[in-house]
Amino acid sequence: MAGWAPALDPERSSCQVMGGQELPGVLVSALEGPRGVCEGHVADLQRHFTLITVKEFLEDRTQLGPKIQAIYIWGGKPAVDRMLLQSLPCLKVVASSGAGVDHLDLPLIASFGVKVVNTPLAVSSPTADLGMALLLAAARRVLEGHQLAISPDTQDFAVNWMGQDVAGATLGIVGMGTIGYKVAQRAKAFEMEVLYHNRHRRAVEEEAAVGATYCARLDDLLSRSDFLLVALSLTPQTRGLIGRRELRLMKPTAILINISRGLVVDQDALVEALQTGVIAAAALDVTFPEPLPRDHPLLKLKNIILTPHIGSATHQARRRMMESLVEGILASLSGLPVPNEVLA
C-alpha cells in the first residue's frame, strides 16, 4: 500500500465514535481467494463487524476511512504502513493472526495510539505438532520412501534402505517459548533427550517437567544435537542466527527443522551444507521468500522436506485464531483489558 496519499486529516482528535447500531468497520484483505480471510469465518466476523475490503477502501477512502476501527490481518495481509495509518483516523487496533509480528512495525503503529494483538496461544499446539511431524518425516525419510513405494520403476524394496532413530536421540531446541516448550513435551513422549537454548532460562520446575537441559552457549547445543529444531521469533538479533559457522558445528548426521521464520536460517549456507554433507538433511515449514523461486536450489535437493508455512493450518486452530482476534478487537473497542496485546 506504499505510495498512497493520505485522504484524511491524520489528527486523531477529530475521530467521531460511530453512533446508532452500526457495527464497527474492520479492514480485511479480501473476503475470498488465496490471500483473503477464511471464507468459513466470514459469517462469524460479520456478526460483530462491518467488513471492508482493501479494494472497497481504495475505491472510497474518504467515506470508508473514518468507519474503520480495526485492521484484521490474515496471512500477513493487509500490509500496515504509515500511509495506511494516516488514512484511518478512527483506527484503534491491529489484530494479526499467528504468533509472529515481524511483518509489523510496532513502534510506528504505537506512535498512532493503536494497539496490536496477535494469537500466540491458538497456534502453539498445531505448530509444535508440525515440528514433530517434520522431525519424524525427515528422520525416517518418509517422503523418499513414499516416492520409492509408488514409483513405476520400483521392483523390490532394498532391505538396507534406512533412516535414523528418534527414540533416544538428542533434540536441540533453539527458542524455548510457548511453541518450543510444547515441542519439548512431545519429544519427551518420544523418549528423546532435550537440550534447549533460549534468551532466558526457564524455571527449574518447567525444565524438569519435560526433562530439558539448558545450554547457555548455542555452540554446545549445536555440537550435541541429533536434531536441531528452530522455534524463534524473527528479530534483528535472530536474523541469520543459524549460518555457515553454526551448521559446521553440527553433526554430519544431524537434521535441521525450522518452524520459525525463513530468515532465521542463512539459506545459502544451508544449501551448501546439504549439498556437501555438512549436515544430513533439513525439514522446513518456512523459507524466504515464500514461496521460493521455482529455480531455487533448495527445490532440487533430495535431502530436504519443504512445507508451505502450515504450522497453524488446521481447521480448529484457524477458528481459534479468528475467535481470539475477535475477542481482542472487541475488548480494544470497548476500552477493556486487551488479551494477547503486543507491546512495541
Side-chain angles (χ1 to χ4, degrees):
M1 297 183 188
W4 291 358
L8 300 162
D9 185 342
E11 290 294 329
R12 305 260 152 187
S13 59
S14 65
C15 179
Q16 298 294 318
V17 177
M18 305 306 297
Q21 298 301 311
E22 186 172 356
L23 295 174
V26 174
L27 182 68
V28 299
S29 56
L31 298 183
E32 55 187 14
R35 304 303 297 180
V37 301
C38 182
E39 292 184 42
H41 299 170
V42 171
D44 296 278
L45 292 169
Q46 288 177 331
R47 280 198 280 269
H48 301 282
F49 313 119
T50 298
L51 301 183
I52 300 169
T53 67
V54 168
K55 183 176 184 293
E56 291 170 332
F57 170 67
L58 291 175
E59 291 172 349
D60 193 3
R61 286 175 287 185
T62 302
Q63 291 298 317
L64 295 179
K67 297 183 178 182
I68 294 172
Q69 298 184 55
I71 300 174
Y72 183 94
I73 298 178
W74 194 257
K77 301 293 181 182
V80 178
D81 59 16
R82 183 178 296 277
M83 292 294 186
L84 177 59
L85 292 167
Q86 289 174 335
S87 299
L88 304 178
C90 298
L91 185 67
K92 294 182 176 63
V93 60
V94 172
S96 181
S97 60
V101 291
D102 48 277
H103 57 293
L104 297 175
D105 187 336
L106 298 179
L108 172 66
I109 295 171
S111 73
F112 281 81
V114 174
K115 295 181 182 295
V116 173
V117 300
N118 65 346
T119 64
L121 299 180
V123 305
S124 56
S125 288
T127 304
D129 287 346
L130 183 70
M132 286 303 297
L134 290 173
L135 186 157
L136 291 163
R140 298 306 303 271
R141 301 171 65 186
V142 169
L143 293 189
E144 293 176 76
H146 171 73
Q147 293 301 324
L148 179 64
I150 68 172
S151 172
D153 299 323
T154 298
Q155 296 183 357
D156 57 25
F157 295 150
V159 69
N160 292 321
W161 189 92
M162 293 176 285
Q164 297 188 37
D165 270 351
V166 171
T170 299
L171 170 63
I173 300 174
V174 184
M176 187 71 105
T178 304
I179 293 172
Y181 193 78
K182 285 183 176 292
V183 171
Q185 291 174 325
R186 288 150 176 75
K188 181 182 180 184
F190 279 88
E191 301 174 357
M192 302 185 80
E193 178 185 358
V194 177
L195 310 176
Y196 78 98
H197 175 76
N198 206 39
R199 183 172 50 181
H200 303 295
R201 183 172 181 174
R202 280 190 168 262
V204 173
E205 296 80 7
E206 293 174 325
E207 291 179 345
V210 294
T213 300
Y214 177 64
C215 292
R217 296 178 67 251
L218 176 59
D219 289 4
D220 294 337
L221 180 143
L222 294 172
S223 64
R224 295 168 59 185
S225 297
D226 298 306
F227 299 91
L228 180 71
L229 185 138
V230 183
L232 291 165
S233 299
L234 177 62
T235 67
Q237 293 72 36
T238 63
R239 184 179 179 123
L241 181 68
I242 306 300
R244 184 170 284 101
R245 173 186 171 277
E246 289 72 28
L247 291 165
R248 290 191 175 278
L249 289 173
M250 295 170 64
K251 298 177 182 180
T253 54
I255 294 174
L256 169 69
I257 302 100
N258 187 5
I259 56 172
S260 57
R261 289 291 185 268
L263 286 171
V264 173
V265 175
D266 181 334
Q267 285 184 170
D268 291 337
L270 178 60
V271 169
E272 179 185 308
L274 292 171
Q275 289 174 334
T276 60
V278 170
I279 63 172
L284 314 175
D285 186 44
V286 289
T287 60
F288 185 83
E290 292 175 352
L292 291 170
R294 296 298 87 185
D295 60 350
H296 195 281
L298 278 178
L299 303 182
K300 299 176 173 62
L301 298 175
K302 292 184 178 180
N303 55 343
I304 192 166
I305 296 173
L306 295 167
T307 52
H309 203 150
I310 54 172
S312 67
T314 69
H315 293 289
Q316 298 86 350
R318 293 288 168 88
R319 175 154 289 278
R320 289 193 298 269
M321 291 163 66
M322 178 272 290
E323 292 170 349
S324 178
L325 293 178
V326 169
E327 182 184 8
I329 293 172
L330 293 176
S332 179
L333 299 187
S334 301
L336 300 173
V338 179
N340 299 316
E341 181 176 0
V342 181
L343 302 177

